[in-house]
Amino acid sequence: MSEAGKPSLVSFSAALALACYLCLGVSQVFAIPTASPDVNTAADVAAEAQISSSFGQKGSKICAAWGDGNDPSLANFKTSHVVGLYDWTVQKPSAADSLGFDFWPMLWGGSQDMINAFESTVTAGYGTIILGFNEPNEEGESNLDPFTAAALWQQYIEPKRSLGYKTCSPAISSRPNGQQWMQEFLQACSGCTFLVLMFWAPCKIDYQCLHWYDIGFSGLQTYLEENHAQFGLPILLTEFADQDFNGGAQPSLSDVTAFMQQALEYFDNTDWILAACPFGILFPTAGVTNNNALQNADGTPTELGTIVINDEY
């Protein structure tokens, strides 16, 4: 068939999304049982030989949410406590492998150019864990409904498991609609394929990716524990900061420092939290106050950044 006559990758996924939507409606009306995603525990972490053996272990749960491309200052943020690295794209920083990072490529959204880059770049051995869509429950981010996201996952992310990749769910934000979005995504990913697309296996998701922005450690702890209780997956907290986005007062530097030290201790002592990436290692910082900054203008860690990369609490 000529290129002009071929359906686009995205239009095919849209058709699958419609099938998922209709299928999920039928399963809910008639209470048809659906397949469940496979759930891995922390004991399964070392199953993939290419993932660092320290991944998910106490004292080695920090990951780098990196925004500086190929800047050599990345070396300033590699310690034995910092294992994972991602940059919201599939483009691996040039020094990532030599510095000893586990690289986690991300399929940020469902646009054709992102899909093309993902398909051509994410090959066997290129990274270790694929991160799903970025805040699909947010209009200003990847903005995907659960059914479209499930169809895209099945078509592009799920096949990468045969290349040795683990997978982390789409990263919902801490907005109240996030957990409902995740519930519908998992239903679409399991029940839909069970009923309509019987030649495909249900999604297998190893970890849940989460984002959180708010004030105070207790809120973060509650959010993580609610998600773990509901979905039962080990968690990669791939963005978080002690930051108010609701018009309230922002915490002081001492407040942010105390928050971070409480969080680091909690992560280390919670076996189902495998990684946490404070937002973000980039200069100038974007979207959060300077009190949350991890990197100085000269590329060195701030005082808070030093606490993070050395897991100090």
Side-chain angles (χ1 to χ4, degrees), residues 21 131 182 245 258 261 283:
Y21 181 84
L131 306 184
M182 183 61 65
F245 282 113
Q261 290 177 315
F283 187 87

Side-chain angles (χ1 to χ4, degrees), residues 172-195:
I172 56 170
S173 73
S174 48
R175 187 178 170 192
N177 68 345
Q179 284 167 266
Q180 180 63 33
W181 190 99
M182 183 61 65
Q183 177 83 28
E184 293 178 3
F185 170 78
L186 292 175
Q187 286 176 315
C189 242
S190 56
C192 177
T193 55
F194 176 71
L195 290 167

Side-chain angles (χ1 to χ4, degrees), residues 85-278:
L85 165 71
Y86 82 98
D87 60 4
W88 295 274
T89 76
V90 297
Q91 300 305 316
K92 179 163 54 177
S94 56
D97 289 342
S98 62
L99 290 171
F101 284 104
D102 283 7
F103 180 61
W104 302 343
M106 175 188 283
L107 181 54
W108 190 93
S111 68
Q112 191 71 58
D113 59 338
M114 290 180 180
I115 289 169
N116 291 342
F118 181 80
E119 287 287 87
S120 62
T121 306
V122 181
T123 54
Y126 182 72
T128 58
I129 299 170
I130 292 173
L131 306 184
F133 314 110
N134 189 77
E135 298 187 0
N137 60 310
E138 296 284 352
E139 291 185 2
E141 299 296 332
S142 64
N143 189 27
L144 294 167
D145 68 80
F147 312 105
T148 299
L152 289 167
W153 183 286
Q154 285 282 13
Q155 191 174 359
Y156 302 111
I157 295 179
E158 194 70 21
K160 300 293 187 183
R161 296 187 64 86
S162 68
L163 302 179
Y165 285 92
K166 296 285 193 177
T167 54
C168 193
S169 74
I172 56 170
S173 73
S174 48
R175 187 178 170 192
N177 68 345
Q179 284 167 266
Q180 180 63 33
W181 190 99
M182 183 61 65
Q183 177 83 28
E184 293 178 3
F185 170 78
L186 292 175
Q187 286 176 315
C189 242
S190 56
C192 177
T193 55
F194 176 71
L195 290 167
V196 175
L197 306 172
M198 297 180 69
F199 50 90
W200 281 359
C203 301
K204 184 172 182 181
I205 298 171
D206 298 290
Y207 321 111
Q208 183 182 9
C209 281
L210 290 172
H211 292 176
W212 182 89
Y213 294 92
D214 209 337
I215 301 297
F217 169 71
S218 63
L220 173 59
Q221 180 179 358
T222 297
Y223 176 68
L224 293 171
E225 292 178 356
E226 285 179 350
N227 274 275
H228 186 253
Q230 183 172 358
F231 302 113
L233 288 163
I235 287 173
L236 310 187
L237 180 62
T238 47
E239 285 187 30
F240 73 101
D242 195 28
Q243 169 82 24
D244 185 277
F245 282 113
N246 298 308
Q250 299 296 346
S252 66
L253 179 57
S254 61
D255 290 335
V256 171
T257 301
F259 161 85
M260 186 62 72
Q261 290 177 315
Q262 284 181 285
L264 293 175
E265 183 174 15
Y266 175 71
F267 302 150
D268 266 349
N269 292 314
T270 305
D271 59 4
W272 44 265
I273 297 176
L274 304 186
C277 317

